[in-house]
Amino acid sequence: MISVNDFKTGLTIEVDNDIWRVMEFQHVKPGKGAAFVRSKLRNLRTGAVNEKTFRAGEKVAKAQIDNRKMQYLYSNGDMHAFMDTETYDQIELPEKSIAYELKFLQENMDVQVIQYHGEVLGVELPNTVVLEVAETDPGIKGDTASGGSKPAILTTGLSVQVPFFINQGDKLIINTTDSSYVSRAQ
């Protein structure tokens, strides 16, 4: 059991027979009445995001989550294969459970697979990934880094806004939390 006063972003808890990850939290001490903790939680089974309020000092069960390093192998219809890099065991995940992550996944990419008592809950991506530009309008002489942005479609199908100087074939560093352009890869 863990007190809600000890919440941290990324903590996994068990509430109402579901597994939740703390996305945001805020301690609130009103002038009148008892203190409470307002939190934004993501359901690891369904991906739904809920806001929940707890009384200060309330106890919740901490969920024991196992992260296993796995490698994304291939897509087989609407199923996607991953291989444990230590035991070489393979698992398949349905497309609907990793729809957001598929925008960043490339074959042979290492990821963390999240498990709870043997049940696979999803895939955790690295903070940034390197992807290649598949299609974008060509840059025009005189465009600068601070002069605005244009859309670019990456090899995985993800569309991001990039500076004008980015061309087709460039490798970019993309932030996986908000699908944004970070910089050009070296």
Side-chain angles (χ1 to χ4, degrees):
M1 298 296 273
I2 186 168
S3 169
V4 296
N5 297 339
D6 298 329
F7 272 8
K8 290 182 175 59
T9 302
L11 178 72
T12 49
I13 58 173
E14 201 171 338
V15 177
D16 303 329
N17 293 327
D18 258 327
I19 311 302
W20 301 86
R21 173 162 285 150
V22 177
M23 305 296 286
E24 297 174 13
F25 66 96
Q26 179 182 19
H27 296 278
V28 180
K29 297 176 185 160
K32 183 178 180 184
F36 57 92
V37 176
R38 189 176 292 134
S39 62
K40 186 184 274 187
L41 308 173
R42 168 168 285 156
N43 187 319
L44 292 182
R45 287 191 175 117
T46 64
V49 176
N50 280 358
E51 291 194 12
K52 189 157 176 65
T53 303
F54 298 95
R55 291 184 309 275
E58 192 174 334
K59 302 270 188 199
V60 293
K62 185 175 179 183
Q64 284 303 117
I65 298 293
D66 296 324
N67 285 346
R68 291 176 53 196
K69 184 177 180 183
M70 292 192 152
Q71 188 177 61
Y72 177 61
L73 296 178
Y74 58 87
S75 168
N76 182 13
D78 65 344
M79 297 300 280
H80 298 272
F82 293 84
M83 178 184 69
D84 190 313
T85 55
E86 292 175 13
T87 64
Y88 302 109
D89 291 340
Q90 289 187 18
I91 61 168
E92 285 193 339
L93 297 177
E95 190 168 317
K96 65 181 173 84
S97 72
I98 57 170
Y100 177 77
E101 289 83 357
L102 283 175
K103 295 187 270 184
F104 305 99
L105 283 177
Q106 294 178 309
E107 289 185 2
N108 302 323
M109 178 185 252
D110 288 337
V111 295
Q112 296 289 326
V113 173
I114 305 164
Q115 293 183 316
Y116 177 72
H117 296 298
E119 173 191 2
V120 177
L121 297 175
V123 173
E124 195 169 282
L125 296 167
N127 292 334
T128 59
V129 294
V130 176
L131 298 173
E132 188 175 329
V133 177
E135 185 182 321
T136 188
D137 296 330
I140 300 166
K141 187 173 172 70
D143 289 340
T144 62
S146 61
S149 62
K150 63 182 180 179
I153 298 172
L154 307 179
T155 52
T156 60
L158 177 66
S159 180
V160 295
Q161 291 294 318
V162 297
F164 287 121
F165 61 82
I166 299 297
N167 297 312
Q168 189 169 329
D170 287 354
K171 292 192 182 301
L172 308 180
I173 299 174
I174 304 296
N175 184 339
T176 57
T177 55
D178 60 2
S179 305
S180 65
Y181 164 84
V182 175
S183 68
R184 263 202 278 205
Q186 299 303 326

